[in-house]
Every structure is written in C-alpha cells, then in structure tokens.
Amino acid sequence: MKISFSLSKHFLFPILVMPFLMIHSVSSLNLTNEYLNHKCLLDQGKYNSGSEYEDNLNRLFRKVSSDAYAVIGFTHTSIGTSTPNFLTITLQCRGDSIGSKCHTCADTAILEFHKRCPKNKGGIIWYDQCFLYVTTIKEEVPIKTNYEDIFSMYNSNNVRGDGHFFAKRVMDFLSELTLKVEKTIKGVHIILYAEGEKKLGKNKLYAMVQCIQLTLDCKSCLEWSIKKLFKNSDIKQGARVLGTNCGVRYELYPFLRS
C-alpha cells in the first residue's frame, strides 16, 4: 500500500517585497533536531519480550550507539541468520550533523523508536538531523529506492507573486546541487550530500540534497523528490521531501551548519 504523508511546519517572518514576489525571511540560523514523523511497519509483525529478536534488536541498537560511524554520519548493519530473527538497521545523519551531533540524534531516535513503535519489528523515525530505519527485510546492496515510505513537509506560508518562477528557480538550484552530490568525498567514504545558498532578489535561498550511501540510483531518487516538492498548486516558501533513500529541502532562511 502506498503511504503518503502531508505535514506542515509554521514559521513567522517579517515581510519583504521583491520585484517578482513577496516572501518572509529570517536572518538567524534555525538549527533544531525536532521529531518530524514516524511509521511503524505493521506488516513486519511484533516480537515478544525476551525473544531472540528482541535481543538482536537491542544488540544492534547498542552497536549503533557506540560505533565510530558518526565520522561519516551513516551506518547500515544487520544481525541474525534465520528469517524470524533477522533485522537490519540503517541510520543516516544529515550531512552537517556528524560526530557528536550524529550520536546525539541516533540516541534520541533509538529511545523514541521504542516509545512510538513498541514491540514492532520494523519501523522508521525521522528527525531534523537524522533518520533511523529498522527492517526485517533483506535488501540487496546497493539498495533500490523505496517510494512507499516517503513524506512531505511544507512551510505554511505561500509565495506571493510569480510562484511558478520561484518554483523554477528552486528546482534549478536543487538540480545543480544534485550534480554535486557524488563529488563530496570524506577520506575514502563517499558522502552523498550537497548544500548551498543562492541569491534570490534581496533574499537568499538555502537548500540541501542527500542520499544514503547505499542507494542504487541517488540521482533518480533526488530528481523524483524535487518534482514532488511542487506537486501542489500553491507554492510554499519552504518544503522538504524525506524517505529512506534520499531527502531534499529548501527554505528562505538558513537551517544548516557551515
């Protein structure tokens, strides 16, 4: 069954007038690690207290909490041999949230996963700075894009004026970032992440794109997500599309670390 989420965030900005549109803006950096959404994978069933599955799950959670993966902000690890007790955990931190910030987000996600999906074998939880994905399904690596578990969030403020021109500028900029994604390398690890800012009249457009390292076709995932940003007729001042393979976001205020 195809799952579609539609969430909104509310921001308040002073109004500025530009020749081609009117927008709201802020000058301060808005860094948060808010809970965004979750999905319990009900079709994967539940586990019993004291079961081998519960032991495997807790062992992997401890591994995720203690590993040095935070240097690159990504881990993908599995445990179990038989189907009833097999599971995989994927954790992806946002490209600007590595090191201790990645560990902090991971610990928060693990704690909340237990609360929001109690005894569920599989589930996904998204935060501003990371997402955690637990599944019992053995996926071939590199991983095909999962178009089922994707959701969108929109700024509550519409762009006033030529919204279609604004949308084209945003899409063009996100497409530029998509071309830069696979060129960002940290040591021997490829970091599939790109961010930037661009002048938009008297204001700036801030944006980011990111894929998990094991995505089979990062470019196609990002292109699909960029198109999904503007499927509604009302063009918003900010929006994001998040899934388990890739994510895109744009705003008219800074939301990333340097």
Side-chain angles (χ1 to χ4, degrees):
M1 181 178 69
K2 186 172 182 178
I3 306 296
S4 177
F5 303 92
S6 180
L7 308 177
S8 64
K9 307 294 282 185
H10 300 276
F11 306 103
L12 297 175
F13 311 119
I15 297 176
L16 299 174
V17 179
M18 297 169 56
F20 54 90
L21 59 103
M22 183 182 294
I23 62 175
H24 296 179
S25 179
V26 295
S27 59
S28 60
L29 183 62
N30 186 6
L31 282 175
T32 67
N33 189 37
E34 292 182 3
Y35 159 81
L36 303 178
N37 198 14
H38 78 280
K39 180 182 179 182
C40 304
L41 302 177
L42 304 180
D43 58 338
Q44 296 189 16
K46 292 203 169 192
Y47 61 85
N48 297 319
S49 297
S51 64
E52 183 178 344
Y53 188 91
E54 182 179 47
D55 182 59
N56 286 345
L57 179 64
N58 290 332
R59 284 172 64 187
L60 278 196
F61 277 157
R62 287 193 296 270
K63 187 176 188 296
V64 168
S65 294
S66 60
D67 271 3
Y69 67 85
V71 175
I72 58 170
F74 173 79
T75 187
H76 178 83
T77 183
S78 302
I79 192 173
T81 54
S82 60
T83 301
N85 300 308
F86 173 86
L87 72 135
T88 297
I89 290 181
T90 302
L91 178 91
Q92 176 70 66
C93 289
R94 202 171 66 188
D96 67 321
S97 301
I98 58 176
S100 61
K101 299 175 185 66
C102 185
H103 268 303
T104 298
C105 190
D107 290 343
T108 301
I110 289 170
L111 180 65
E112 286 299 310
F113 180 87
H114 283 303
K115 293 180 180 178
R116 296 179 184 273
C117 295
K119 304 298 183 183
N120 283 100
K121 285 189 171 184
I124 315 162
I125 186 165
W126 290 270
Y127 283 83
D128 261 337
Q129 297 183 32
C130 73
F131 80 85
L132 178 73
Y133 179 28
V134 181
T135 181
T136 62
I137 298 173
K138 293 183 180 181
E139 297 177 298
E140 291 186 10
V141 176
I143 300 170
K144 293 181 180 179
T145 300
N146 171 10
Y147 291 106
E148 298 296 316
D149 302 315
I150 292 177
F151 73 101
S152 306
M153 295 178 67
Y154 297 93
N155 186 305
S156 60
N157 298 309
N158 290 339
V159 168
R160 301 173 188 175
D162 193 342
H164 293 291
F165 176 73
F166 174 82
K168 185 179 185 307
R169 291 287 300 272
V170 173
M171 292 182 73
D172 287 346
F173 186 43
L174 288 169
S175 295
E176 289 176 23
L177 293 178
T178 297
L179 295 177
K180 298 177 181 178
V181 155
E182 295 188 21
K183 297 179 182 179
T184 307
I185 301 176
K186 187 179 181 68
V188 296
H189 301 283
I190 298 176
I191 310 298
L192 302 179
Y193 168 77
E195 54 83 21
E197 59 186 65
K198 194 163 201 171
K199 198 75 173 173
L200 203 63
K202 295 181 179 179
N203 294 268
K204 283 186 178 180
L205 172 69
Y206 301 86
M208 61 151 283
V209 297
Q210 183 170 15
C211 295
I212 67 168
Q213 287 191 27
L214 300 180
T215 295
L216 177 62
D217 191 344
C218 178
K219 185 172 180 287
S220 293
C221 184
L222 291 174
E223 289 174 344
W224 185 91
S225 298
I226 291 169
K227 291 177 183 177
K228 187 173 173 62
L229 285 170
F230 298 105
K231 282 196 171 180
N232 297 328
S233 57
D234 54 337
I235 309 301
K236 300 296 185 180
Q237 296 176 12
R240 65 182 104 177
V241 174
L242 299 171
T244 59
N245 296 86
C246 70
V248 299
R249 183 181 180 185
Y250 75 91
E251 302 288 353
L252 294 178
Y253 60 85
F255 62 92
L256 298 168
R257 298 177 183 84
S258 300

